Amino acid sequence: MRTGSGWLFRGAARAAAPILALILGLPPASAAESVATALVVSVDVSQSVDDTRFRLQMEGIAEALEDPAVVGAITGNPGGILFAMVTWADRASLAVGWRRIASRVDAIATAALVRATPRQAGEFTCLGQMFRTVTVGVLPALPVPAERVVIDVSGDGIDNCTDADSLTDAHRALLDTGATVNGLPILVPGENDVVGAGAYRAPGYGLLPTPLPQERTSLEQWYRAHVLGGPGAFLLAAAGYGDFSRALRRKFVIEISALGR
């Protein structure tokens, strides 16, 4: 288990666990002092994600939670896992707060919350803002300590509203908590085959350097450079929104089972 300043929030989480357990319906602390994995699913809902794509993402996450292989991976962990979902565009929002999933019934109930998530307004792909929100608002609220914290980031584009230094700082601060950040780029043929020079971006950059590559590159390469990080981090791409559910199911099994760790 990792120790150090990156996991200082564990002490606060442990102290608050009895109260939060009552609120969230978690077992008493004596029954579950910690979990093996806390999983944050972080979903891009910016302008490129229309209503159909948004619903495909929500349904894909719900289907993944209900998948027998995923449920098997969850129940293979004593005490199950902790799960939260963040949606992000111009800003990031905690769409589903921390919940313990320890059984198929828990998974189905959480999937229902995901399906009921309303569409969040937003135009830009503000990845740096999402990193900061997860670091300061989501991880410190863990109801019990976790041996591994995994942030599962999916999206169909690169950050277009954060300068390069700010994005790097936000990414580093998240990794300094000890979390692992995995990537699930959604590859849409003819739309985001390449990214880089001339890419759409928010106003306000001024003369600041941007995280946009000067040369045309692939979304997968950009995710490897700016999203992935932490122990055992990996990337698994989806071949379009129709493939999102399949890719996420596989990714969940790997993340929850800590395969290849």
Side-chain angles (χ1 to χ4, degrees), residues 17-29:
I19 297 173
L20 287 169
L22 292 174
I23 296 172
L24 300 176
L26 300 173

Side-chain angles (χ1 to χ4, degrees), residues 170-246:
H171 189 232
R172 184 182 298 116
L174 177 54
L175 296 180
D176 283 347
T177 68
T180 293
V181 184
N182 294 329
L184 199 164
I186 303 170
L187 310 180
V188 184
E191 184 173 313
N192 63 358
D193 304 276
V194 294
V195 296
Y200 178 65
R201 57 181 176 170
Y205 273 93
L207 299 178
L208 294 173
T210 78
L212 307 181
Q214 296 304 305
E215 302 296 330
R216 291 156 66 90
T217 187
S218 73
L219 183 60
E220 289 179 271
Q221 289 173 315
W222 195 89
Y223 260 60
R224 289 186 189 281
H226 297 282
V227 175
L228 297 195
F234 70 99
L235 181 146
L236 197 161
Y241 281 87
D243 187 47
F244 180 80
S245 180
R246 189 277 316 168

Side-chain angles (χ1 to χ4, degrees), residues 25-247:
L26 300 173
S30 59
E33 290 288 348
S34 66
V35 294
T37 303
L39 177 63
V40 180
V41 177
S42 181
V43 190
D44 173 14
V45 294
S46 59
Q47 188 179 55
S48 61
V49 181
D50 59 20
D51 289 340
T52 298
R53 290 177 172 183
F54 176 76
R55 297 285 17 131
L56 282 170
Q57 288 185 106
M58 296 302 104
E59 185 62 28
I61 295 167
E63 288 177 352
L65 288 171
E66 296 168 338
D67 183 78
V70 174
V71 173
I74 291 171
T75 56
N77 289 283
I81 68 168
L82 291 175
F83 174 91
M85 184 175 75
V86 171
T87 54
W88 53 279
D90 300 353
R91 60 183 178 82
S93 299
L94 183 60
V96 176
W98 286 113
R99 295 178 58 85
R100 185 187 295 276
I101 304 177
S103 67
R104 183 173 179 274
V105 171
D106 295 340
I108 291 172
T110 304
L113 291 177
V114 171
R115 287 190 175 98
T117 300
R119 177 79 187 275
Q120 174 183 325
E123 182 177 358
F124 300 106
T125 308
C126 299
L127 191 71
Q129 178 62 38
M130 182 273 290
F131 285 155
R132 287 188 288 271
T133 297
V134 172
T135 301
V136 304
V138 178
L139 298 190
L142 270 168
V144 297
E147 294 178 14
R148 300 174 63 249
V149 175
V150 177
I151 318 300
D152 192 327
V153 179
S154 62
D156 66 3
I158 62 180
D159 189 300
N160 60 8
C161 68
T162 310
D163 67 85
D165 290 342
S166 295
L167 181 62
T168 298
D169 290 346
H171 189 232
R172 184 182 298 116
L174 177 54
L175 296 180
D176 283 347
T177 68
T180 293
V181 184
N182 294 329
L184 199 164
I186 303 170
L187 310 180
V188 184
E191 184 173 313
N192 63 358
D193 304 276
V194 294
V195 296
Y200 178 65
R201 57 181 176 170
Y205 273 93
L207 299 178
L208 294 173
T210 78
L212 307 181
Q214 296 304 305
E215 302 296 330
R216 291 156 66 90
T217 187
S218 73
L219 183 60
E220 289 179 271
Q221 289 173 315
W222 195 89
Y223 260 60
R224 289 186 189 281
H226 297 282
V227 175
L228 297 195
F234 70 99
L235 181 146
L236 197 161
Y241 281 87
D243 187 47
F244 180 80
S245 180
R246 189 277 316 168

